[in-house]
Amino acid sequence: MKVLVLGGTGEARALAAALVDSQDHTVVSSLAGRVRDPRLPVGDVRVGGFGGPRLLAEWILEHGVHAVVDATHPFAERISASAAEAALLAGVPLLVLRRPGWPPRPGWHWVDSLAEARLVAERLGDRIFLTTGRQGLAAFATSDRWYLVRCVDPPDAPMPASAKLLLDRGPYTVDGELALLCDHRIDVLVTKDSGGPLTAAKLDAARELALPVVVVRRPPPPAAVPVVETAEQVMAWLR
C-alpha cells in the first residue's frame, strides 16, 4: 500500500518511520516548503505545494496512492480542506492525524482568531510575548504595544512598530522560558492551541509567573473525515 502523508509535524515524522519499519507500505511525505530547514522524515519526501485540490487529486492518481493521511499542523486549515476535496476527487480514503490540544488552565483567555487575540492581549498588558507563527503577524502590525515575536524563520509580513524578533525552534525548557519572560518583562503570552510537548514549556512558565495567556482555538477538521491522535492509530486504520 502506498501512503501519502501530508506532513511537517512530529506526528507525521513518527508515522513515516512506522510505515517504513512495517515493510508493508511505501510512504511519500509531502512538506509545504514554508520552513527553510525542516526536519525531514524517513522515506521519500516531496517539498512544495500541489497547486490546489484538483492537481493534488491528479498527483494521487498518477502516483498510485492508496490512502492519504493529513498530519499537518492543527492550524493548517487550507491544506486540510484541500486534502479533503482531493481525496474525494481521487476516490481514496483520507484520515486526519492531529495531536490533542493543551488541557485548559486557569488564567487562559480563549479566542477564535488572531485579530481577537490582539484585542484581548492589549487589554491585558503592554509587553506581549507572541508565539503564533510568522504567517499571522499582520494581525498585530498596527498595534502600539511592545512585542517579543518568536518564529522559526524570518517573517514576510510586517511586524509591530515596537517589536523584537527572536528566531528559535523548540523544544524549550521551563527554566529557559522563565528567563525569557523575566528578561523581557513580559506580562501577556499569546499562543495557538498547537498542543504537544515541543513548545508547552512557555505555558508552565507563564503559570509560574501568574501571567495571563491568550489562546487561539483550533479550526475544526474537515467534516466527515475521521480523526486520530497517534501514529499507532493510523497504522491500525491502514490495516
Side-chain angles (χ1 to χ4, degrees):
M1 177 180 287
K2 188 170 187 177
V3 181
L4 172 64
V5 177
L6 305 177
T9 61
E11 292 75 24
R13 292 189 293 274
L15 175 58
L19 290 167
V20 170
D21 289 343
S22 74
Q23 300 183 353
D24 294 325
H25 308 84
T26 58
V27 57
V28 179
S29 296
S30 175
L31 307 182
R34 293 175 178 169
V35 177
R36 291 185 179 182
D37 186 23
R39 296 186 177 104
L40 296 178
V42 298
D44 293 335
V45 178
R46 180 191 182 279
V47 178
F50 291 93
R54 188 166 298 279
L55 291 178
L56 173 55
E58 293 178 2
W59 192 95
I60 289 170
L61 294 172
E62 289 172 3
H63 291 80
V65 170
H66 299 98
V68 179
V69 179
D70 173 11
T72 56
H73 191 275
F75 284 83
E77 190 173 9
R78 184 179 300 177
I79 299 174
S80 293
S82 181
E85 184 177 346
L88 188 64
L89 289 171
V92 299
L94 170 68
L95 182 70
V96 172
L97 171 59
R98 288 283 186 276
R99 58 180 174 261
W102 289 313
R105 302 181 183 183
W108 284 14
H109 301 259
W110 290 89
V111 296
D112 293 314
S113 68
L114 291 173
E116 187 181 355
R118 170 189 164 177
L119 295 176
V120 174
E122 289 179 345
R123 291 200 301 265
L124 294 170
D126 295 317
R127 298 181 66 83
I128 301 169
F129 185 24
L130 187 58
T131 64
T132 55
R134 63 190 178 97
Q135 296 184 27
L137 287 178
F140 301 86
T142 59
S143 176
D144 59 358
R145 302 300 196 270
W146 187 90
Y147 287 84
L148 175 62
V149 180
R150 185 165 68 191
C151 305
V152 175
D153 292 322
D156 298 323
M159 289 179 45
S162 299
K164 176 180 178 180
L165 178 63
L166 175 62
L167 298 181
D168 199 5
R169 176 186 296 184
Y172 304 104
T173 65
V174 176
D175 287 343
E177 298 290 66
L178 281 170
L180 190 69
L181 293 172
C182 292
D183 289 347
H184 293 87
R185 307 191 311 279
I186 298 298
D187 47 29
V188 185
L189 167 65
V190 179
T191 188
K192 293 178 176 179
D193 184 20
S194 300
L198 195 66
T199 62
K202 63 189 174 187
L203 305 174
D204 296 328
R207 179 173 57 182
E208 188 165 333
L209 296 174
L211 298 181
V213 180
V214 181
V215 185
V216 182
R217 291 185 181 91
R218 296 179 173 192
V225 177
V227 181
V228 298
E229 296 181 348
T230 67
E232 291 77 12
Q233 290 173 309
V234 176
M235 298 301 291
W237 177 77
L238 291 171
R239 286 192 296 269

PDB file of all heavy atoms in Angstrom, residues 94-119:
ATOM      1  N   LEU A  94      -9.167   9.074   3.322  1.00  0.00           N
ATOM      2  CA  LEU A  94      -8.390  10.115   3.989  1.00  0.00           C
ATOM      3  C   LEU A  94      -8.586  10.006   5.489  1.00  0.00           C
ATOM      4  O   LEU A  94      -9.704   9.818   5.972  1.00  0.00           O
ATOM      5  CB  LEU A  94      -8.842  11.505   3.513  1.00  0.00           C
ATOM      6  CG  LEU A  94      -8.303  12.713   4.286  1.00  0.00           C
ATOM      7  CD1 LEU A  94      -6.804  12.881   4.065  1.00  0.00           C
ATOM      8  CD2 LEU A  94      -9.051  13.996   3.877  1.00  0.00           C
ATOM      9  N   LEU A  95      -7.486  10.142   6.220  1.00  0.00           N
ATOM     10  CA  LEU A  95      -7.513  10.161   7.681  1.00  0.00           C
ATOM     11  C   LEU A  95      -6.758  11.392   8.158  1.00  0.00           C
ATOM     12  O   LEU A  95      -5.723  11.756   7.586  1.00  0.00           O
ATOM     13  CB  LEU A  95      -6.853   8.902   8.244  1.00  0.00           C
ATOM     14  CG  LEU A  95      -6.852   8.751   9.771  1.00  0.00           C
ATOM     15  CD1 LEU A  95      -8.254   8.469  10.282  1.00  0.00           C
ATOM     16  CD2 LEU A  95      -5.912   7.616  10.192  1.00  0.00           C
ATOM     17  N   VAL A  96      -7.260  12.039   9.209  1.00  0.00           N
ATOM     18  CA  VAL A  96      -6.573  13.186   9.807  1.00  0.00           C
ATOM     19  C   VAL A  96      -5.863  12.731  11.072  1.00  0.00           C
ATOM     20  O   VAL A  96      -6.482  12.105  11.945  1.00  0.00           O
ATOM     21  CB  VAL A  96      -7.562  14.319  10.130  1.00  0.00           C
ATOM     22  CG1 VAL A  96      -6.864  15.431  10.921  1.00  0.00           C
ATOM     23  CG2 VAL A  96      -8.165  14.884   8.855  1.00  0.00           C
ATOM     24  N   LEU A  97      -4.574  13.029  11.157  1.00  0.00           N
ATOM     25  CA  LEU A  97      -3.775  12.752  12.354  1.00  0.00           C
ATOM     26  C   LEU A  97      -3.495  14.075  13.051  1.00  0.00           C
ATOM     27  O   LEU A  97      -2.782  14.930  12.510  1.00  0.00           O
ATOM     28  CB  LEU A  97      -2.462  12.060  11.973  1.00  0.00           C
ATOM     29  CG  LEU A  97      -1.424  11.890  13.086  1.00  0.00           C
ATOM     30  CD1 LEU A  97      -1.995  11.088  14.252  1.00  0.00           C
ATOM     31  CD2 LEU A  97      -0.156  11.227  12.540  1.00  0.00           C
ATOM     32  N   ARG A  98      -4.080  14.270  14.243  1.00  0.00           N
ATOM     33  CA  ARG A  98      -3.925  15.514  14.986  1.00  0.00           C
ATOM     34  C   ARG A  98      -3.565  15.192  16.432  1.00  0.00           C
ATOM     35  O   ARG A  98      -4.293  14.439  17.095  1.00  0.00           O
ATOM     36  CB  ARG A  98      -5.220  16.328  14.999  1.00  0.00           C
ATOM     37  CG  ARG A  98      -5.587  16.968  13.696  1.00  0.00           C
ATOM     38  CD  ARG A  98      -4.763  18.215  13.410  1.00  0.00           C
ATOM     39  NE  ARG A  98      -5.248  18.877  12.215  1.00  0.00           N
ATOM     40  CZ  ARG A  98      -4.888  18.551  10.970  1.00  0.00           C
ATOM     41  NH1 ARG A  98      -4.043  17.557  10.787  1.00  0.00           N
ATOM     42  NH2 ARG A  98      -5.370  19.207   9.940  1.00  0.00           N
ATOM     43  N   ARG A  99      -2.486  15.771  16.921  1.00  0.00           N
ATOM     44  CA  ARG A  99      -2.202  15.641  18.347  1.00  0.00           C
ATOM     45  C   ARG A  99      -3.261  16.405  19.138  1.00  0.00           C
ATOM     46  O   ARG A  99      -3.807  17.402  18.662  1.00  0.00           O
ATOM     47  CB  ARG A  99      -0.813  16.188  18.663  1.00  0.00           C
ATOM     48  CG  ARG A  99      -0.603  17.635  18.287  1.00  0.00           C
ATOM     49  CD  ARG A  99       0.812  18.074  18.638  1.00  0.00           C
ATOM     50  NE  ARG A  99       1.093  19.426  18.170  1.00  0.00           N
ATOM     51  CZ  ARG A  99       1.747  19.720  17.056  1.00  0.00           C
ATOM     52  NH1 ARG A  99       2.160  18.745  16.266  1.00  0.00           N
ATOM     53  NH2 ARG A  99       1.992  20.978  16.714  1.00  0.00           N
ATOM     54  N   PRO A 100      -3.553  15.943  20.345  1.00  0.00           N
ATOM     55  CA  PRO A 100      -4.570  16.646  21.139  1.00  0.00           C
ATOM     56  C   PRO A 100      -4.100  18.036  21.542  1.00  0.00           C
ATOM     57  O   PRO A 100      -2.897  18.309  21.638  1.00  0.00           O
ATOM     58  CB  PRO A 100      -4.750  15.739  22.370  1.00  0.00           C
ATOM     59  CG  PRO A 100      -3.519  14.896  22.420  1.00  0.00           C
ATOM     60  CD  PRO A 100      -3.043  14.737  21.015  1.00  0.00           C
ATOM     61  N   GLY A 101      -5.060  18.922  21.755  1.00  0.00           N
ATOM     62  CA  GLY A 101      -4.733  20.263  22.217  1.00  0.00           C
ATOM     63  C   GLY A 101      -4.297  20.256  23.669  1.00  0.00           C
ATOM     64  O   GLY A 101      -4.359  19.238  24.373  1.00  0.00           O
ATOM     65  N   TRP A 102      -3.842  21.413  24.137  1.00  0.00           N
ATOM     66  CA  TRP A 102      -3.410  21.532  25.530  1.00  0.00           C
ATOM     67  C   TRP A 102      -4.619  21.572  26.460  1.00  0.00           C
ATOM     68  O   TRP A 102      -5.618  22.244  26.160  1.00  0.00           O
ATOM     69  CB  TRP A 102      -2.587  22.799  25.718  1.00  0.00           C
ATOM     70  CG  TRP A 102      -1.232  22.729  25.090  1.00  0.00           C
ATOM     71  CD1 TRP A 102      -0.334  21.715  25.188  1.00  0.00           C
ATOM     72  CD2 TRP A 102      -0.616  23.727  24.258  1.00  0.00           C
ATOM     73  NE1 TRP A 102       0.815  22.011  24.477  1.00  0.00           N
ATOM     74  CE2 TRP A 102       0.659  23.239  23.903  1.00  0.00           C
ATOM     75  CE3 TRP A 102      -1.020  24.980  23.787  1.00  0.00           C
ATOM     76  CZ2 TRP A 102       1.529  23.963  23.094  1.00  0.00           C
ATOM     77  CZ3 TRP A 102      -0.152  25.701  22.996  1.00  0.00           C
ATOM     78  CH2 TRP A 102       1.109  25.194  22.649  1.00  0.00           C
ATOM     79  N   PRO A 103      -4.549  20.883  27.603  1.00  0.00           N
ATOM     80  CA  PRO A 103      -5.645  20.982  28.578  1.00  0.00           C
ATOM     81  C   PRO A 103      -5.783  22.418  29.081  1.00  0.00           C
ATOM     82  O   PRO A 103      -4.777  23.048  29.429  1.00  0.00           O
ATOM     83  CB  PRO A 103      -5.192  20.042  29.714  1.00  0.00           C
ATOM     84  CG  PRO A 103      -4.174  19.136  29.087  1.00  0.00           C
ATOM     85  CD  PRO A 103      -3.496  19.943  28.030  1.00  0.00           C
ATOM     86  N   PRO A 104      -6.974  22.968  29.117  1.00  0.00           N
ATOM     87  CA  PRO A 104      -7.161  24.353  29.575  1.00  0.00           C
ATOM     88  C   PRO A 104      -6.687  24.547  31.011  1.00  0.00           C
ATOM     89  O   PRO A 104      -6.764  23.625  31.832  1.00  0.00           O
ATOM     90  CB  PRO A 104      -8.677  24.560  29.462  1.00  0.00           C
ATOM     91  CG  PRO A 104      -9.138  23.527  28.482  1.00  0.00           C
ATOM     92  CD  PRO A 104      -8.240  22.350  28.668  1.00  0.00           C
ATOM     93  N   ARG A 105      -6.201  25.757  31.284  1.00  0.00           N
ATOM     94  CA  ARG A 105      -5.713  26.086  32.622  1.00  0.00           C
ATOM     95  C   ARG A 105      -6.346  27.396  33.091  1.00  0.00           C
ATOM     96  O   ARG A 105      -6.784  28.217  32.272  1.00  0.00           O
ATOM     97  CB  ARG A 105      -4.190  26.249  32.613  1.00  0.00           C
ATOM     98  CG  ARG A 105      -3.426  25.026  32.133  1.00  0.00           C
ATOM     99  CD  ARG A 105      -1.935  25.292  32.187  1.00  0.00           C
ATOM    100  NE  ARG A 105      -1.163  24.161  31.667  1.00  0.00           N
ATOM    101  CZ  ARG A 105       0.168  24.119  31.659  1.00  0.00           C
ATOM    102  NH1 ARG A 105       0.861  25.141  32.137  1.00  0.00           N
ATOM    103  NH2 ARG A 105       0.793  23.061  31.179  1.00  0.00           N
ATOM    104  N   PRO A 106      -6.389  27.601  34.396  1.00  0.00           N
ATOM    105  CA  PRO A 106      -6.866  28.898  34.905  1.00  0.00           C
ATOM    106  C   PRO A 106      -5.992  30.035  34.375  1.00  0.00           C
ATOM    107  O   PRO A 106      -4.780  29.884  34.241  1.00  0.00           O
ATOM    108  CB  PRO A 106      -6.713  28.750  36.429  1.00  0.00           C
ATOM    109  CG  PRO A 106      -6.715  27.269  36.678  1.00  0.00           C
ATOM    110  CD  PRO A 106      -6.066  26.648  35.482  1.00  0.00           C
ATOM    111  N   GLY A 107      -6.620  31.150  34.078  1.00  0.00           N
ATOM    112  CA  GLY A 107      -5.878  32.298  33.574  1.00  0.00           C
ATOM    113  C   GLY A 107      -5.753  32.339  32.064  1.00  0.00           C
ATOM    114  O   GLY A 107      -5.113  33.252  31.529  1.00  0.00           O
ATOM    115  N   TRP A 108      -6.361  31.377  31.369  1.00  0.00           N
ATOM    116  CA  TRP A 108      -6.337  31.379  29.907  1.00  0.00           C
ATOM    117  C   TRP A 108      -7.556  32.131  29.373  1.00  0.00           C
ATOM    118  O   TRP A 108      -8.671  32.009  29.901  1.00  0.00           O
ATOM    119  CB  TRP A 108      -6.344  29.958  29.371  1.00  0.00           C
ATOM    120  CG  TRP A 108      -5.014  29.265  29.483  1.00  0.00           C
ATOM    121  CD1 TRP A 108      -3.944  29.660  30.231  1.00  0.00           C
ATOM    122  CD2 TRP A 108      -4.629  28.058  28.834  1.00  0.00           C
ATOM    123  NE1 TRP A 108      -2.910  28.767  30.099  1.00  0.00           N
ATOM    124  CE2 TRP A 108      -3.302  27.773  29.243  1.00  0.00           C
ATOM    125  CE3 TRP A 108      -5.260  27.193  27.960  1.00  0.00           C
ATOM    126  CZ2 TRP A 108      -2.609  26.654  28.795  1.00  0.00           C
ATOM    127  CZ3 TRP A 108      -4.580  26.075  27.514  1.00  0.00           C
ATOM    128  CH2 TRP A 108      -3.264  25.802  27.923  1.00  0.00           C
ATOM    129  N   HIS A 109      -7.324  32.869  28.309  1.00  0.00           N
ATOM    130  CA  HIS A 109      -8.384  33.603  27.626  1.00  0.00           C
ATOM    131  C   HIS A 109      -8.499  33.032  26.209  1.00  0.00           C
ATOM    132  O   HIS A 109      -7.602  33.222  25.381  1.00  0.00           O
ATOM    133  CB  HIS A 109      -8.055  35.098  27.579  1.00  0.00           C
ATOM    134  CG  HIS A 109      -7.874  35.721  28.933  1.00  0.00           C
ATOM    135  ND1 HIS A 109      -8.849  36.462  29.546  1.00  0.00           N
ATOM    136  CD2 HIS A 109      -6.822  35.685  29.796  1.00  0.00           C
ATOM    137  CE1 HIS A 109      -8.419  36.869  30.726  1.00  0.00           C
ATOM    138  NE2 HIS A 109      -7.193  36.416  30.904  1.00  0.00           N
ATOM    139  N   TRP A 110      -9.598  32.339  25.928  1.00  0.00           N
ATOM    140  CA  TRP A 110      -9.771  31.666  24.651  1.00  0.00           C
ATOM    141  C   TRP A 110     -10.380  32.621  23.628  1.00  0.00           C
ATOM    142  O   TRP A 110     -11.338  33.345  23.918  1.00  0.00           O
ATOM    143  CB  TRP A 110     -10.662  30.444  24.800  1.00  0.00           C
ATOM    144  CG  TRP A 110     -10.007  29.340  25.567  1.00  0.00           C
ATOM    145  CD1 TRP A 110     -10.026  29.149  26.913  1.00  0.00           C
ATOM    146  CD2 TRP A 110      -9.210  28.284  25.027  1.00  0.00           C
ATOM    147  NE1 TRP A 110      -9.293  28.032  27.248  1.00  0.00           N
ATOM    148  CE2 TRP A 110      -8.784  27.484  26.122  1.00  0.00           C
ATOM    149  CE3 TRP A 110      -8.812  27.942  23.733  1.00  0.00           C
ATOM    150  CZ2 TRP A 110      -7.986  26.354  25.940  1.00  0.00           C
ATOM    151  CZ3 TRP A 110      -8.028  26.821  23.564  1.00  0.00           C
ATOM    152  CH2 TRP A 110      -7.614  26.045  24.647  1.00  0.00           C
ATOM    153  N   VAL A 111      -9.824  32.603  22.398  1.00  0.00           N
ATOM    154  CA  VAL A 111     -10.320  33.444  21.307  1.00  0.00           C
ATOM    155  C   VAL A 111     -10.407  32.595  20.046  1.00  0.00           C
ATOM    156  O   VAL A 111      -9.852  31.490  19.977  1.00  0.00           O
ATOM    157  CB  VAL A 111      -9.406  34.665  21.072  1.00  0.00           C
ATOM    158  CG1 VAL A 111      -9.395  35.578  22.294  1.00  0.00           C
ATOM    159  CG2 VAL A 111      -7.981  34.227  20.718  1.00  0.00           C
ATOM    160  N   ASP A 112     -11.082  33.125  19.031  1.00  0.00           N
ATOM    161  CA  ASP A 112     -11.299  32.372  17.793  1.00  0.00           C
ATOM    162  C   ASP A 112     -10.457  32.850  16.614  1.00  0.00           C
ATOM    163  O   ASP A 112     -10.532  32.260  15.531  1.00  0.00           O
ATOM    164  CB  ASP A 112     -12.782  32.431  17.402  1.00  0.00           C
ATOM    165  CG  ASP A 112     -13.662  31.678  18.391  1.00  0.00           C
ATOM    166  OD1 ASP A 112     -13.301  30.545  18.761  1.00  0.00           O
ATOM    167  OD2 ASP A 112     -14.700  32.228  18.807  1.00  0.00           O
ATOM    168  N   SER A 113      -9.694  33.924  16.808  1.00  0.00           N
ATOM    169  CA  SER A 113      -8.899  34.453  15.697  1.00  0.00           C
ATOM    170  C   SER A 113      -7.718  35.240  16.245  1.00  0.00           C
ATOM    171  O   SER A 113      -7.702  35.641  17.422  1.00  0.00           O
ATOM    172  CB  SER A 113      -9.755  35.354  14.806  1.00  0.00           C
ATOM    173  OG  SER A 113     -10.115  36.538  15.509  1.00  0.00           O
ATOM    174  N   LEU A 114      -6.759  35.498  15.374  1.00  0.00           N
ATOM    175  CA  LEU A 114      -5.612  36.318  15.764  1.00  0.00           C
ATOM    176  C   LEU A 114      -6.032  37.766  15.997  1.00  0.00           C
ATOM    177  O   LEU A 114      -5.478  38.445  16.873  1.00  0.00           O
ATOM    178  CB  LEU A 114      -4.531  36.242  14.682  1.00  0.00           C
ATOM    179  CG  LEU A 114      -3.827  34.891  14.554  1.00  0.00           C
ATOM    180  CD1 LEU A 114      -2.906  34.895  13.350  1.00  0.00           C
ATOM    181  CD2 LEU A 114      -3.047  34.572  15.819  1.00  0.00           C
ATOM    182  N   ALA A 115      -6.993  38.248  15.222  1.00  0.00           N
ATOM    183  CA  ALA A 115      -7.481  39.610  15.427  1.00  0.00           C
ATOM    184  C   ALA A 115      -8.087  39.765  16.821  1.00  0.00           C
ATOM    185  O   ALA A 115      -7.851  40.761  17.518  1.00  0.00           O
ATOM    186  CB  ALA A 115      -8.503  39.964  14.354  1.00  0.00           C
ATOM    187  N   GLU A 116      -8.843  38.767  17.240  1.00  0.00           N
ATOM    188  CA  GLU A 116      -9.420  38.803  18.585  1.00  0.00           C
ATOM    189  C   GLU A 116      -8.334  38.646  19.641  1.00  0.00           C
ATOM    190  O   GLU A 116      -8.390  39.270  20.716  1.00  0.00           O
ATOM    191  CB  GLU A 116     -10.469  37.702  18.732  1.00  0.00           C
ATOM    192  CG  GLU A 116     -11.240  37.763  20.036  1.00  0.00           C
ATOM    193  CD  GLU A 116     -12.249  36.640  20.170  1.00  0.00           C
ATOM    194  OE1 GLU A 116     -12.417  35.854  19.211  1.00  0.00           O
ATOM    195  OE2 GLU A 116     -12.859  36.543  21.245  1.00  0.00           O
ATOM    196  N   ALA A 117      -7.324  37.822  19.347  1.00  0.00           N
ATOM    197  CA  ALA A 117      -6.212  37.647  20.282  1.00  0.00           C
ATOM    198  C   ALA A 117      -5.508  38.967  20.545  1.00  0.00           C
ATOM    199  O   ALA A 117      -5.124  39.279  21.685  1.00  0.00           O
ATOM    200  CB  ALA A 117      -5.220  36.629  19.725  1.00  0.00           C
ATOM    201  N   ARG A 118      -5.326  39.771  19.506  1.00  0.00           N
ATOM    202  CA  ARG A 118      -4.681  41.068  19.684  1.00  0.00           C
ATOM    203  C   ARG A 118      -5.494  41.968  20.606  1.00  0.00           C
ATOM    204  O   ARG A 118      -4.943  42.600  21.521  1.00  0.00           O
ATOM    205  CB  ARG A 118      -4.490  41.745  18.328  1.00  0.00           C
ATOM    206  CG  ARG A 118      -4.040  43.192  18.446  1.00  0.00           C
ATOM    207  CD  ARG A 118      -4.058  43.918  17.126  1.00  0.00           C
ATOM    208  NE  ARG A 118      -3.987  45.360  17.329  1.00  0.00           N
ATOM    209  CZ  ARG A 118      -3.927  46.243  16.344  1.00  0.00           C
ATOM    210  NH1 ARG A 118      -3.932  45.837  15.086  1.00  0.00           N
ATOM    211  NH2 ARG A 118      -3.874  47.532  16.622  1.00  0.00           N
ATOM    212  N   LEU A 119      -6.796  42.032  20.386  1.00  0.00           N
ATOM    213  CA  LEU A 119      -7.643  42.904  21.196  1.00  0.00           C
ATOM    214  C   LEU A 119      -7.615  42.498  22.668  1.00  0.00           C
ATOM    215  O   LEU A 119      -7.517  43.351  23.568  1.00  0.00           O
ATOM    216  CB  LEU A 119      -9.075  42.873  20.668  1.00  0.00           C
ATOM    217  CG  LEU A 119      -9.296  43.447  19.270  1.00  0.00           C
ATOM    218  CD1 LEU A 119     -10.743  43.263  18.835  1.00  0.00           C
ATOM    219  CD2 LEU A 119      -8.909  44.919  19.215  1.00  0.00           C
TER     220      LEU A 119
END
